[in-house]
Amino acid sequence: MTNDDLSLLVETSDEWIRTRTGIRKRHLATTDLSLSELSAQAATQAIAMANLTANDVDLIILATSTADDLFGSAAKVQAILQANRAVAFDLTAACSGFVFGLITASQFIRTGVYKNVLVIGADILSRWVDWSDRSSCVLFGDGAGAVLCQGSTDEDRLLGSAMYSNGEQHEALNIGYDGTGKKLKDGITVNQGTYKPITMKGRDVYRFAVEKVPEVIEKALFNAQLTTDDVDWLILHQANQRIIDSVAKRLKIPPQKVIANLDEYGNTSAASIPLALDEAVRQGKIKPGEIIASSGFGAGLTWGAVIFRWGI
Ligand code: UT7
């Protein structure tokens, strides 16, 4: 779906969207594609790249805010993959979900509980976008990405991390529940309804991102006993090219070390970091042993960073 396509839906233009966000187009899931199937496609490719089979996977963490089922979609992904030994659960932290998932995976690996952990970031936000709201509908796209994290006896490649939440700013970005009372009997009324489309205070989220993302990356680098000079690649959640440029500038990381693909995909929420990582690895940009600084940020509000050494 291009910017020009969107300008037929709402009062906007390719020029406005490109200059304010850096986005040129976004990919939208077809009506019959489930989040579980999209996730499983990404997961299959990650397992193959790791030279493993689905049976080797011990744990599946599905970072998503748009599960097919409010009870979770991770177990469905496990079934599609036939990852018969794996336990699977969803993790909801909006656009921070993939980074939170990676850090969660590392805890299970470090404690020796699990060896092979699949972390999937996937979202189909097109199902929750208000397609008449030009201030938000131009931003989002659908996607899925996955990594296979494997315990190793020679080196812990998750070098540092940091995570934060601030529920005081919860109203800045929501897919809120909206229900009304349904009386079951005198004195007992329950609330029944569904979720409303995305609402967003764009400027507040923008300000939050440019302030907190450099801080959290510096904190994660400090925990890793590294500096920005040690970073080979910066991969931020792909929300807005201006946010990416501002964060890189503040950290004094040169543009040639910054990976961005939101011009093609828009903001794919929990999928954006693994999508960008996967493309950069497959293009041969990211090489084994290189150090990646990554940060996710978004609804909650939540934000986090992870510093890791690429292992394949
Ligand atoms: O995963 C995290 C998800 N959220 C984000 O990352 C959002 C972060 N925020 C942003 O990326 C930016 O705030 C936006 C891209 C959402 C908006 O950019 P902005 O530079 O902050 O624009 P604005 O909201 O201050 O709006 C400027 C003008 C307004 O018109 P007036 O009031 O100045 O006349 C808006 O009504 O642009 C107007 N506008 C648009 N015009 C054309 C807002 N959306 C559009 C649009 N096309 N799509």
Side-chain angles (χ1 to χ4, degrees):
M1 180 96 172
T2 64
N3 293 344
D4 285 336
D5 293 334
L6 277 173
S7 69
L8 302 175
L9 276 185
V10 289
E11 188 70 38
T12 191
S13 67
D14 174 54
E15 210 258 331
W16 193 96
I17 302 171
R18 262 190 303 104
T19 52
R20 299 283 180 135
T21 72
I23 299 165
R24 283 188 305 112
K25 59 165 103 150
R26 64 288 293 141
H27 296 235
L28 304 181
T30 51
T31 52
D32 55 345
L33 181 64
S34 68
L35 189 279
S36 315
E37 286 160 10
L38 188 63
S39 302
Q41 284 177 26
T44 301
Q45 292 185 31
I47 294 167
M49 192 191 261
N51 284 322
L52 295 174
T53 67
N55 251 326
D56 297 315
V57 178
D58 301 306
L59 168 64
I60 300 169
I61 299 174
L62 173 61
T64 188
S65 305
T66 54
D68 300 318
D69 180 334
L70 208 47
F71 286 144
S73 286
K76 186 80 190 298
V77 175
Q78 180 240 26
I80 297 170
L81 294 174
Q82 289 291 294
N84 299 320
R85 293 193 316 106
V87 61
F89 61 83
D90 289 37
L91 182 157
T92 301
C95 304
S96 308
F98 180 75
V99 165
F100 281 23
L102 215 51
I103 296 167
T104 304
S106 74
Q107 309 309 307
F108 282 104
I109 291 172
R110 282 178 182 163
T111 51
V113 177
Y114 297 123
K115 185 167 184 223
N116 295 318
V117 183
L118 188 61
V119 182
I120 307 167
D123 269 307
I124 304 185
L125 279 178
S126 64
R127 290 175 188 171
W128 297 102
V129 161
D130 176 351
W131 289 102
S132 66
D133 175 10
R134 69 172 182 175
S135 66
S136 62
C137 77
V138 301
L139 302 177
F140 299 105
D142 302 332
V147 295
L148 194 294
C149 304
Q150 186 165 54
S152 136
T153 48
D154 48 295
E155 188 193 10
D156 186 337
R157 296 200 185 100
L158 194 134
L159 307 172
S161 64
M163 299 155 81
Y164 293 94
S165 303
N166 177 9
E168 297 293 337
Q169 278 189 277
H170 184 74
E171 298 303 323
L173 188 49
N174 303 106
I175 303 177
Y177 176 78
D178 189 25
T180 53
K182 181 181 164 66
K183 187 175 169 186
L184 301 184
K185 59 172 269 195
D186 281 347
I188 301 182
T189 301
V190 290
N191 190 307
Q192 293 253 293
T194 184
Y195 291 86
K196 285 183 297 188
I198 294 175
T199 57
M200 185 183 72
K201 294 179 185 156
R203 281 186 213 180
D204 291 355
V205 179
Y206 189 96
R207 267 196 297 272
F208 142 76
V210 296
E211 184 193 335
K212 296 297 184 191
V213 174
E215 276 177 25
V216 75
I217 292 174
E218 276 177 342
K219 175 91 177 165
L221 280 167
F222 177 80
N223 291 341
Q225 299 182 318
L226 296 171
T227 71
T228 47
D229 291 340
D230 299 306
V231 173
D232 294 303
W233 300 104
L234 180 68
I235 308 182
L236 301 184
H237 165 51
Q238 306 284 297
N240 186 320
Q241 190 62 47
R242 284 156 56 213
I243 295 176
I244 296 175
D245 294 344
S246 162
V247 171
K249 197 168 161 199
R250 271 213 211 172
L251 293 171
K252 298 192 174 65
I253 295 179
Q256 59 272 20
K257 289 187 172 183
V258 178
I259 288 173
N261 64 358
L262 84 168
D263 61 327
E264 175 70 28
Y265 303 104
N267 177 347
T268 57
S269 191
S272 84
I273 293 171
L275 266 181
L277 173 66
D278 179 67
E279 275 197 357
V281 167
R282 289 182 199 272
Q283 286 164 0
K285 268 191 189 170
I286 296 176
K287 300 197 178 55
E290 289 186 328
I291 291 176
I292 299 167
S294 186
S295 174
F297 53 90
L301 297 176
T302 54
W303 63 107
V306 62
I307 316 296
F308 60 100
R309 194 186 290 283
W310 184 246
I312 286 186

